Protein backbone atom coordinates (compact mmCIF):
# COMPACT_ATOMS: atom_id res chain seq x y z
CA UNK A 1 0.00 0.00 0.00
CA UNK A 2 1.41 3.38 -1.01
CA UNK A 3 1.55 6.37 1.33
CA UNK A 4 -1.27 8.01 -0.65
CA UNK A 5 -3.47 4.91 -0.37
CA UNK A 6 -2.75 4.66 3.36
CA UNK A 7 -3.79 8.28 3.89
CA UNK A 8 -6.92 7.80 1.75
CA UNK A 9 -7.99 4.86 3.94
CA UNK A 10 -7.32 6.85 7.13
CA UNK A 11 -9.29 9.77 5.68
CA UNK A 12 -12.33 7.53 5.17
CA UNK A 13 -12.05 6.40 8.79
CA UNK A 14 -11.70 9.97 10.08
CA UNK A 15 -14.92 11.05 8.38
CA UNK A 16 -16.82 8.00 9.58
CA UNK A 17 -15.56 8.43 13.16
CA UNK A 18 -16.51 12.12 13.21
CA UNK A 19 -19.98 11.44 11.83
CA UNK A 20 -20.59 8.62 14.32
CA UNK A 21 -19.51 10.89 17.19
CA UNK A 22 -22.02 13.57 16.15
CA UNK A 23 -24.80 11.01 15.77
CA UNK A 24 -24.10 9.77 19.30
CA UNK A 25 -24.31 13.38 20.45
CA UNK A 26 -27.62 13.82 18.62
CA UNK A 27 -29.00 10.64 20.20
CA UNK A 28 -27.97 11.93 23.65
CA UNK A 29 -29.94 15.13 22.95
CA UNK A 30 -32.97 12.98 22.10
CA UNK A 31 -32.72 11.22 25.46
CA UNK A 32 -32.47 14.53 27.34
CA UNK A 33 -35.45 15.85 25.40
CA UNK A 34 -37.55 12.79 26.25
CA UNK A 35 -36.71 12.96 29.95
CA UNK A 36 -37.58 16.65 30.16
CA UNK A 37 -40.84 16.19 28.24
CA UNK A 38 -42.02 13.40 30.53
CA UNK A 39 -41.17 15.45 33.63
CA UNK A 40 -42.89 18.63 32.42
CA UNK A 41 -45.93 16.92 30.90
CA UNK A 42 -46.56 15.22 34.25
CA UNK A 43 -47.34 18.67 35.64
CA UNK A 44 -49.76 19.47 32.82
CA UNK A 45 -51.59 16.19 32.27
CA UNK A 46 -53.81 14.34 34.74
CA UNK A 47 -54.71 10.67 34.84
CA UNK A 48 -58.05 9.45 36.18
CA UNK A 49 -59.21 5.85 35.91
CA UNK A 50 -56.39 5.08 33.46
CA UNK A 51 -57.19 7.98 31.12
CA UNK A 52 -55.08 11.10 30.66
CA UNK A 53 -56.64 14.52 30.32
CA UNK A 54 -55.65 18.15 30.77
CA UNK A 55 -57.28 21.28 32.10
CA UNK A 56 -55.14 23.25 29.69
CA UNK A 57 -55.98 23.60 26.02
CA UNK A 58 -53.84 22.18 23.24
CA UNK A 59 -52.35 25.62 22.52
CA UNK A 60 -50.94 25.73 26.05
CA UNK A 61 -49.64 22.18 25.75
CA UNK A 62 -48.02 23.05 22.43
CA UNK A 63 -46.38 26.12 23.97
CA UNK A 64 -45.01 23.96 26.78
CA UNK A 65 -43.52 21.53 24.26
CA UNK A 66 -41.97 24.46 22.36
CA UNK A 67 -40.40 25.73 25.58
CA UNK A 68 -38.85 22.32 26.22
CA UNK A 69 -37.44 22.17 22.70
CA UNK A 70 -36.05 25.69 23.07
CA UNK A 71 -34.31 24.85 26.31
CA UNK A 72 -33.02 21.38 25.47
CA UNK A 73 -32.92 20.66 21.76
CA UNK A 74 -32.04 24.09 20.38
CA UNK A 75 -29.36 24.83 23.00
CA UNK A 76 -27.77 21.39 22.73
CA UNK A 77 -27.90 21.38 18.94
CA UNK A 78 -26.08 24.71 19.01
CA UNK A 79 -23.27 23.02 20.96
CA UNK A 80 -23.22 20.17 18.46
CA UNK A 81 -22.94 22.63 15.58
CA UNK A 82 -19.92 24.13 17.33
CA UNK A 83 -18.35 20.67 17.52
CA UNK A 84 -18.98 20.20 13.81
CA UNK A 85 -17.31 23.52 13.01
CA UNK A 86 -14.24 22.44 14.98
CA UNK A 87 -14.23 19.06 13.22
CA UNK A 88 -14.04 20.82 9.87
CA UNK A 89 -10.55 22.02 10.76
CA UNK A 90 -9.49 18.38 11.17
CA UNK A 91 -10.98 17.52 7.77
CA UNK A 92 -8.93 20.28 6.16
CA UNK A 93 -5.73 19.30 7.98
CA UNK A 94 -6.05 15.65 7.03
CA UNK A 95 -6.79 16.38 3.39
CA UNK A 96 -3.87 18.81 3.30
CA UNK A 97 -1.57 16.00 4.47
CA UNK A 98 -2.97 13.77 1.73
CA UNK A 99 -2.30 16.31 -1.02
CA UNK A 100 1.08 17.27 0.39
CA UNK A 101 2.21 13.72 -0.43
CA UNK A 102 0.97 14.06 -4.02
CA UNK A 103 2.28 17.60 -4.53
CA UNK A 104 5.62 16.93 -2.88
CA UNK A 105 7.38 19.29 -5.28
CA UNK A 106 4.82 22.09 -4.95
CA UNK A 107 6.85 25.04 -3.53
CA UNK A 108 3.79 27.09 -2.49
CA UNK A 109 1.73 24.33 -0.89
CA UNK A 110 1.14 26.25 2.34
CA UNK A 111 -0.35 29.13 0.33
CA UNK A 112 -2.62 26.65 -1.42
CA UNK A 113 -3.71 25.25 1.94
CA UNK A 114 -4.56 28.74 3.20
CA UNK A 115 -6.66 29.42 0.11
CA UNK A 116 -8.49 26.10 0.48
CA UNK A 117 -9.15 26.81 4.17
CA UNK A 118 -10.64 30.21 3.29
CA UNK A 119 -12.84 28.67 0.58
CA UNK A 120 -14.11 25.88 2.86
CA UNK A 121 -14.99 28.34 5.64
CA UNK A 122 -16.93 30.58 3.25
CA UNK A 123 -18.81 27.60 1.83
CA UNK A 124 -19.78 26.23 5.26
CA UNK A 125 -20.19 29.52 7.10
CA UNK A 126 -17.37 29.23 9.67
CA UNK A 127 -15.24 32.16 10.78
CA UNK A 128 -11.44 31.99 11.43
CA UNK A 129 -12.10 31.23 15.13
CA UNK A 130 -14.26 28.19 14.23
CA UNK A 131 -17.50 29.96 15.11
CA UNK A 132 -20.72 29.55 13.13
CA UNK A 133 -21.48 32.57 10.95
CA UNK A 134 -25.06 33.85 11.16
CA UNK A 135 -27.17 32.94 8.13
CA UNK A 136 -24.36 30.74 6.82
CA UNK A 137 -24.67 27.10 5.70
CA UNK A 138 -24.18 25.52 9.14
CA UNK A 139 -26.27 28.17 10.90
CA UNK A 140 -29.43 27.07 9.11
CA UNK A 141 -28.68 23.38 9.03
CA UNK A 142 -30.58 22.06 12.04
CA UNK A 143 -34.26 23.11 12.00
CA UNK A 144 -36.37 21.54 14.76
CA UNK A 145 -39.81 22.61 13.52
CA UNK A 146 -40.68 19.24 11.98
CA UNK A 147 -39.62 17.39 15.15
CA UNK A 148 -41.67 19.71 17.36
CA UNK A 149 -44.76 19.24 15.22
CA UNK A 150 -44.46 15.44 15.34
CA UNK A 151 -44.25 15.47 19.14
CA UNK A 152 -47.16 17.93 19.46
CA UNK A 153 -49.33 15.83 17.17
CA UNK A 154 -48.58 12.68 19.17
CA UNK A 155 -49.41 14.32 22.51
CA UNK A 156 -52.59 15.93 21.16
CA UNK A 157 -53.79 12.64 19.67
CA UNK A 158 -53.02 10.78 22.92
CA UNK A 159 -54.85 13.30 25.11
CA UNK A 160 -57.86 13.26 22.78
CA UNK A 161 -57.95 9.45 22.94
CA UNK A 162 -57.51 9.45 26.73
CA UNK A 163 -54.87 6.71 26.73
CA UNK A 164 -53.04 5.73 29.96
CA UNK A 165 -49.95 7.75 30.87
CA UNK A 166 -47.74 4.70 30.58
CA UNK A 167 -48.79 4.28 26.95
CA UNK A 168 -48.07 7.93 26.21
CA UNK A 169 -44.66 7.56 27.85
CA UNK A 170 -43.89 4.54 25.67
CA UNK A 171 -45.13 6.29 22.52
CA UNK A 172 -43.03 9.37 23.26
CA UNK A 173 -39.98 7.19 23.88
CA UNK A 174 -40.45 5.47 20.52
CA UNK A 175 -41.01 8.80 18.78
CA UNK A 176 -38.21 10.85 20.37
CA UNK A 177 -35.52 8.31 21.29
CA UNK A 178 -36.38 5.78 18.60
CA UNK A 179 -36.35 1.99 18.55
CA UNK A 180 -33.87 -0.62 17.29
CA UNK A 181 -35.63 -0.41 13.91
CA UNK A 182 -36.48 3.30 13.74
CA UNK A 183 -34.47 6.49 14.24
CA UNK A 184 -35.43 9.04 16.87
CA UNK A 185 -37.22 12.22 15.86
CA UNK A 186 -34.10 14.42 15.67
CA UNK A 187 -31.98 11.83 13.91
CA UNK A 188 -34.75 11.26 11.39
CA UNK A 189 -35.31 14.94 10.63
CA UNK A 190 -31.82 16.43 10.82
CA UNK A 191 -29.42 13.46 10.99
CA UNK A 192 -28.91 13.55 7.24
CA UNK A 193 -27.90 17.20 7.39
CA UNK A 194 -25.35 16.40 10.10
CA UNK A 195 -23.78 13.67 7.99
CA UNK A 196 -23.96 15.81 4.88
CA UNK A 197 -21.99 18.65 6.47
CA UNK A 198 -18.93 16.39 6.75
CA UNK A 199 -19.24 15.13 3.20
CA UNK A 200 -19.60 18.68 1.93
CA UNK A 201 -16.51 19.86 3.83
CA UNK A 202 -14.54 16.92 2.48
CA UNK A 203 -15.66 17.39 -1.12
CA UNK A 204 -15.03 21.14 -1.05
CA UNK A 205 -11.48 20.70 0.25
CA UNK A 206 -10.73 17.84 -2.16
CA UNK A 207 -12.00 19.80 -5.14
CA UNK A 208 -10.21 22.98 -4.13
CA UNK A 209 -6.89 21.20 -3.62
CA UNK A 210 -7.39 19.37 -6.90
CA UNK A 211 -8.08 22.52 -8.90
CA UNK A 212 -5.34 24.60 -7.31
CA UNK A 213 -2.74 21.83 -7.72
CA UNK A 214 -3.76 21.02 -11.29
CA UNK A 215 -4.91 17.46 -10.54
CA UNK A 216 -7.43 16.59 -13.23
CA UNK A 217 -8.03 12.96 -12.25
CA UNK A 218 -9.37 11.18 -9.19
CA UNK A 219 -10.52 7.89 -7.68
CA UNK A 220 -14.11 7.16 -6.67
CA UNK A 221 -13.10 6.17 -3.15
CA UNK A 222 -14.90 4.85 -0.10
CA UNK A 223 -15.51 1.14 -0.52
CA UNK A 224 -18.84 -0.67 -0.64
CA UNK A 225 -21.38 -1.61 2.02
CA UNK A 226 -24.58 -3.65 1.91
CA UNK A 227 -26.72 -0.64 0.99
CA UNK A 228 -24.38 0.86 -1.63
CA UNK A 229 -26.19 2.20 -4.69
CA UNK A 230 -25.76 0.64 -8.12
CA UNK A 231 -24.28 3.96 -9.27
CA UNK A 232 -21.55 3.63 -6.64
CA UNK A 233 -20.97 -0.08 -7.21
CA UNK A 234 -20.19 0.65 -10.85
CA UNK A 235 -17.64 3.35 -9.96
CA UNK A 236 -16.07 2.36 -6.65
CA UNK A 237 -12.27 2.25 -6.85
CA UNK A 238 -12.17 3.41 -10.47
CA UNK A 239 -10.32 6.38 -11.94
CA UNK A 240 -12.15 9.20 -13.71
CA UNK A 241 -11.15 12.53 -15.11
CA UNK A 242 -12.87 15.61 -13.74
CA UNK A 243 -14.21 16.19 -17.25
CA UNK A 244 -15.78 12.71 -17.35
CA UNK A 245 -17.39 13.15 -13.93
CA UNK A 246 -18.96 16.50 -14.78
CA UNK A 247 -20.10 15.32 -18.21
CA UNK A 248 -21.26 11.75 -17.62
CA UNK A 249 -22.44 11.34 -14.02
CA UNK A 250 -25.42 13.74 -14.21
CA UNK A 251 -26.93 11.72 -17.06
CA UNK A 252 -25.91 8.27 -15.82
CA UNK A 253 -29.05 6.05 -15.77
CA UNK A 254 -27.84 4.48 -12.50
CA UNK A 255 -27.83 7.82 -10.66
CA UNK A 256 -30.60 7.80 -7.99
CA UNK A 257 -33.47 10.10 -9.03
CA UNK A 258 -36.76 11.20 -7.56
CA UNK A 259 -40.00 10.20 -9.29
CA UNK A 260 -40.26 13.62 -10.95
CA UNK A 261 -36.65 13.42 -12.12
CA UNK A 262 -37.23 9.96 -13.58
CA UNK A 263 -40.22 11.28 -15.50
CA UNK A 264 -37.98 13.99 -16.96
CA UNK A 265 -35.81 11.25 -18.47
CA UNK A 266 -32.45 9.67 -17.71
CA UNK A 267 -30.72 12.06 -20.11
CA UNK A 268 -31.83 15.03 -18.03
CA UNK A 269 -29.41 16.12 -15.29
CA UNK A 270 -31.11 16.43 -11.87
CA UNK A 271 -31.47 20.09 -10.84
CA UNK A 272 -28.74 21.21 -8.48
CA UNK A 273 -26.70 18.02 -8.82
CA UNK A 274 -22.96 18.75 -8.47
CA UNK A 275 -21.12 15.52 -9.42
CA UNK A 276 -17.91 16.04 -7.44
CA UNK A 277 -19.84 17.11 -4.33
CA UNK A 278 -22.94 14.92 -4.45
CA UNK A 279 -21.43 11.76 -5.97
CA UNK A 280 -24.20 9.11 -5.63
CA UNK A 281 -26.64 11.63 -4.09
CA UNK A 282 -28.93 10.63 -1.23
CA UNK A 283 -32.30 9.04 -0.65
CA UNK A 284 -34.44 10.58 2.08
CA UNK A 285 -32.58 12.63 4.67
CA UNK A 286 -30.09 10.20 6.18
CA UNK A 287 -28.75 8.10 3.31
CA UNK A 288 -26.23 10.48 1.82
CA UNK A 289 -23.59 8.94 -0.44
CA UNK A 290 -20.48 7.99 1.56
CA UNK A 291 -18.02 8.12 -1.34
CA UNK A 292 -15.27 10.66 -2.02
CA UNK A 293 -13.54 11.82 -5.18
CA UNK A 294 -9.88 11.81 -4.20
CA UNK A 295 -7.58 13.48 -6.69
CA UNK A 296 -4.44 11.61 -7.76
CA UNK A 297 -1.37 12.51 -9.79
CA UNK A 298 -1.46 12.35 -13.58
CA UNK A 299 1.16 9.58 -13.47
CA UNK A 300 -0.99 7.36 -11.26
CA UNK A 301 -4.07 8.08 -13.38
CA UNK A 302 -2.25 7.07 -16.57
CA UNK A 303 -0.89 3.93 -14.90
CA UNK A 304 -4.35 2.86 -13.76
CA UNK A 305 -6.06 3.93 -16.97
CA UNK A 306 -3.64 4.08 -19.91
CA UNK A 307 -6.44 5.34 -22.18
CA UNK A 308 -6.37 8.67 -20.32
CA UNK A 309 -2.80 9.43 -21.35
CA UNK A 310 -2.72 12.11 -24.05
CA UNK A 311 -1.60 10.95 -27.45
CA UNK A 312 1.80 12.31 -28.49
Amino acid sequence: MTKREELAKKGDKLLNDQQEARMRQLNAIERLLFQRLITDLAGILEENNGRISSRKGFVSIGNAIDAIFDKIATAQIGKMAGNIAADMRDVLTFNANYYRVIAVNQPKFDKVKEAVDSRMRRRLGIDPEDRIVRRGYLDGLFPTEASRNEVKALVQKSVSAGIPMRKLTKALSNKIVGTPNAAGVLEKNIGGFVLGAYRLADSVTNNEFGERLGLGYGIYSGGLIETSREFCKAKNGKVFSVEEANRDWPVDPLLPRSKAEKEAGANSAPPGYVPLEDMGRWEGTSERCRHRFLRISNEEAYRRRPDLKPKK
Side-chain angles (χ1 to χ4, degrees), residues 144-165:
T144 61
E145 192 65 29
S147 300
R148 294 172 188 240
N149 289 339
E150 287 189 34
V151 172
K152 290 177 187 177
L154 173 59
V155 173
Q156 179 176 342
K157 181 178 179 180
S158 299
V159 172
S160 297
I163 67 173
M165 190 65 188

Side-chain angles (χ1 to χ4, degrees), residues 13-205:
K13 185 177 185 304
L14 171 69
L15 282 176
N16 287 333
D17 288 349
Q18 288 177 326
Q19 290 172 315
E20 288 177 2
R22 292 309 138 240
M23 295 310 293
R24 287 195 297 271
Q25 189 175 6
L26 189 62
N27 294 150
I29 296 172
E30 290 173 331
R31 292 192 293 272
L32 284 173
L33 182 62
F34 167 70
Q35 292 166 2
R36 183 58 184 270
L37 273 167
I38 292 302
T39 299
D40 286 16
L41 287 176
I44 299 174
L45 304 179
E46 300 173 352
E47 183 173 14
N48 295 301
N49 298 321
R51 295 174 61 85
I52 57 173
S53 61
S54 176
R55 295 178 182 178
K56 295 181 177 292
F58 288 122
V59 172
S60 296
I61 295 175
N63 290 338
I65 292 173
D66 278 332
I68 297 168
F69 265 88
D70 288 339
K71 188 167 185 178
I72 300 295
T74 304
Q76 293 295 325
I77 287 173
K79 292 180 182 179
M80 184 178 69
N83 292 145
I84 292 175
D87 285 345
M88 299 299 99
R89 182 178 59 246
D90 295 334
V91 172
L92 171 75
T93 299
F94 200 93
N95 283 344
N97 292 337
Y98 171 90
Y99 286 102
R100 197 183 293 274
V101 169
I102 297 175
V104 64
N105 296 319
Q106 171 59 256
K108 298 181 179 180
F109 186 84
D110 287 339
K111 291 290 185 182
V112 171
K113 180 182 176 182
E114 289 178 10
V116 174
D117 177 66
S118 178
R119 168 61 179 151
M120 183 192 74
R121 290 178 183 279
R122 290 197 306 273
R123 182 71 173 82
L124 295 174
I126 305 172
D127 72 11
E129 283 72 45
D130 295 334
R131 295 173 302 200
I132 305 294
V133 176
R134 285 180 59 82
R135 293 186 292 276
Y137 177 82
L138 287 178
D139 186 49
L141 201 61
F142 312 114
T144 61
E145 192 65 29
S147 300
R148 294 172 188 240
N149 289 339
E150 287 189 34
V151 172
K152 290 177 187 177
L154 173 59
V155 173
Q156 179 176 342
K157 181 178 179 180
S158 299
V159 172
S160 297
I163 67 173
M165 190 65 188
R166 60 181 176 78
K167 287 191 175 181
L168 173 59
T169 300
K170 180 64 174 178
L172 282 172
S173 176
N174 291 342
K175 170 66 70 176
I176 298 171
V177 180
T179 69
N181 298 317
V185 70
L186 294 178
E187 180 179 346
K188 182 183 72 172
N189 288 316
I190 66 177
F193 300 126
V194 173
L195 302 181
Y198 287 90
R199 292 297 169 185
L200 178 60
D202 181 65
S203 63
V204 168
T205 52

Side-chain angles (χ1 to χ4, degrees), residues 216-220 231 235 238-252 273 275-276 293 301 305 307-309:
Y217 306 96
I219 295 178
Y220 200 94
F231 178 88
K235 294 170 177 56
K238 295 183 179 179
V239 173
F240 299 90
S241 69
V242 172
E243 179 183 3
E244 287 174 325
N246 287 326
R247 180 191 66 211
D248 300 338
W249 295 359
V251 295
D252 191 317
Y273 174 66
L276 298 185
F293 189 69
R305 271 190 61 186
D307 63 295
L308 291 174
K309 190 172 184 178

